[in-house]
Amino acid sequence: MTGQWRATCIQMPSRTARQASTRREAWGIIDGNLRCAIKLINQAMNADPAPALVVLPEFAFQGPPKVESVAEWLEKACYPVPGPITEPLQELARSVGAHIGGNQFESDPEWPDRFFNTSFLIDPDGEVVLRYRRIHTAQWVSPHDFLDDYLARYGEEGLWPVVETSLGRVAMLACGEIMVPEASRLLMLRGAEILVHPTNEPVSEAEGAGKVTAAASNMLYVVSANVAGPIGFSSGEPPITGGSSRIVDFRGNTLSLEDSPAETVGASAMIDTGALRAARSENTMANALLRIRVEAFSEMFRGVVLYPANWFLDSPMKHWRDTSGPAGRSLTNLDTLGVIDSVPE
């Protein structure tokens, strides 16, 4: 199918499972969010041509935890990938013949006492062909927290997966990771052509610029689906709303943008993987990849440590408050590098 095909962002509302008092009650919320997602995906399939890729927001099914400990969130709302959350989407992917990109909080018996913020891609055969566990996260578990063990088990391919599909080579990042330029650059260097971006964020110029920059500087498509209505961390009145789902081409042009925070499948555009591949192969000024002088800066990264890896290698994080330790060390490292003036007392 590589060539021209449609991508659609499913801008859907999400009820948060943290308001539930039991796992059973939380599943009722998750199941309701799943039914909403399925309804909107079926609605999106009425387009001509029908989308070959639909993307759901970050936290679409469970919402994020807030005060819960790791153990409490695992018990209340986390499930394996593949598992009960992906299964109805896998069935739907087979039924409609499309790829489905989504995100959930994942439990994994291979990593007890840890959960992951996991983005996944389902192919038209109903198989989960990509599983990316968010690395750059402010307060939750990251593979970076036990990096040595994670790399020993999965290698760099498991840390930064890129999958070959009928659409092209697909990678995923979640939410604020779009603001980490090294993340999208590394995925491009691993061959990524389409960057699927489930997000759950307030609308901001910075986040919009991050999506455009990731696309233009790496010559890849960005398909970014945000939540409708209140974002997962919103509290109080008026609520902080999402919206602004966006599709950006490999030149940094916005192909489709949903201005409102409403439930909609309106952010939809045609993707041309063939044009991207041709542009990447040109020996012209327009090829943004051709003259990246890697050696001029790569040595400067050697040995630099900001947020320290393996902080929770031997003992898993128990609560998000535990991240104050590595965050404090990161401040010290920034001070040492001269990035900040001094570490606050």
Side-chain angles (χ1 to χ4, degrees):
M1 183 184 290
T2 50
Q4 295 189 17
W5 49 270
R6 180 181 296 279
T8 297
C9 300
I10 306 299
Q11 188 167 291
M12 60 170 280
S14 171
R15 292 179 61 215
T16 57
R18 66 173 178 263
Q19 62 193 279
S21 56
T22 65
R23 186 172 180 85
R24 181 175 180 178
E25 185 181 344
W27 178 255
I29 293 170
I30 294 166
D31 185 59
N33 289 330
L34 274 167
R35 284 186 275 110
C36 177
I38 290 167
K39 176 198 74 172
L40 289 170
I41 291 171
N42 280 321
Q43 180 181 328
M45 298 309 295
N46 291 324
D48 184 19
L53 169 68
V54 294
V55 180
L56 297 155
E58 186 189 38
F59 312 152
F61 307 115
Q62 300 127 308
K66 204 164 187 180
V67 301
E68 291 87 353
S69 68
V70 171
E72 288 169 338
W73 191 240
L74 278 165
E75 171 57 31
K76 182 181 287 187
C78 297
Y79 291 87
V81 174
I85 291 176
T86 65
E87 284 164 3
L89 299 173
Q90 291 173 260
E91 181 180 346
L92 181 61
R94 284 190 292 268
S95 173
V96 300
H99 294 76
I100 298 176
N103 175 277
Q104 70 163 82
F105 284 97
E106 177 196 9
S107 58
D108 184 343
E110 292 193 37
W111 301 103
D113 305 317
R114 307 181 196 267
F115 64 75
F116 300 96
N117 178 349
T118 297
S119 297
F120 57 83
L121 182 71
I122 302 167
D123 74 7
D125 293 326
E127 299 297 322
V128 176
V129 293
L130 187 153
R131 180 182 65 179
Y132 169 71
R133 290 162 167 169
R134 183 172 173 176
I135 294 169
H136 299 90
T137 179
Q139 296 181 327
W140 299 321
V141 180
S142 164
H144 183 259
D145 294 335
F146 47 105
L147 185 61
D148 289 352
D149 284 357
Y150 201 85
L151 284 171
R153 184 164 304 181
Y154 302 117
E156 290 185 358
E157 295 79 9
L159 191 67
W160 297 104
V162 177
V163 63
E164 185 82 45
T165 75
S166 60
L167 308 177
R169 295 185 292 273
V170 179
M172 302 185 79
L173 290 176
C175 201
E177 288 189 300
I178 203 74
M179 302 296 288
V180 182
E182 295 84 359
S184 54
R185 174 56 50 85
L186 189 150
L187 290 169
M188 177 275 290
L189 291 173
R190 291 185 56 78
E193 298 169 320
I194 302 103
L195 184 58
V196 173
H197 182 238
T199 190
N200 194 302
E201 66 189 52
V203 177
S204 74
E205 287 191 28
E207 293 284 345
K211 296 164 194 178
V212 171
T213 301
S217 64
N218 295 297
M219 293 188 73
L220 46 71
Y221 285 93
V222 172
V223 184
S224 178
N226 198 14
V227 70
I231 65 169
F233 289 109
S234 181
S235 59
E237 294 294 336
I240 302 169
T241 56
S244 199
S245 294
R246 182 189 297 252
I247 300 174
V248 188
D249 75 6
F250 58 91
R251 300 294 190 196
N253 301 304
T254 294
L255 302 180
S256 185
L257 174 65
E258 175 51 52
D259 289 327
S260 80
E263 176 186 297
T264 179
V265 297
S268 185
M270 296 300 293
I271 307 296
D272 193 337
T273 313
L276 179 153
R277 291 179 175 177
R280 282 185 173 185
S281 300
E282 293 174 352
N283 187 357
T284 67
M285 291 284 288
N287 188 342
L289 309 184
L290 198 58
R291 296 173 179 85
I292 300 173
R293 313 297 180 98
V294 174
E295 298 84 356
F297 55 79
S298 60
E299 282 299 314
M300 297 182 68
F301 283 93
R302 193 178 302 277
V304 172
V305 174
L306 298 179
Y307 196 99
N310 294 310
W311 193 272
F312 300 106
L313 179 65
D314 298 320
S315 179
M317 180 197 303
K318 293 181 172 59
H319 196 279
W320 65 261
R321 296 188 190 94
D322 296 343
T323 60
S324 62
R329 180 67 60 82
S330 186
L331 277 174
T332 299
N333 292 338
L334 288 165
D335 185 23
T336 301
L337 288 168
V339 177
I340 59 177
D341 290 334
S342 61
V343 178
E345 295 294 332

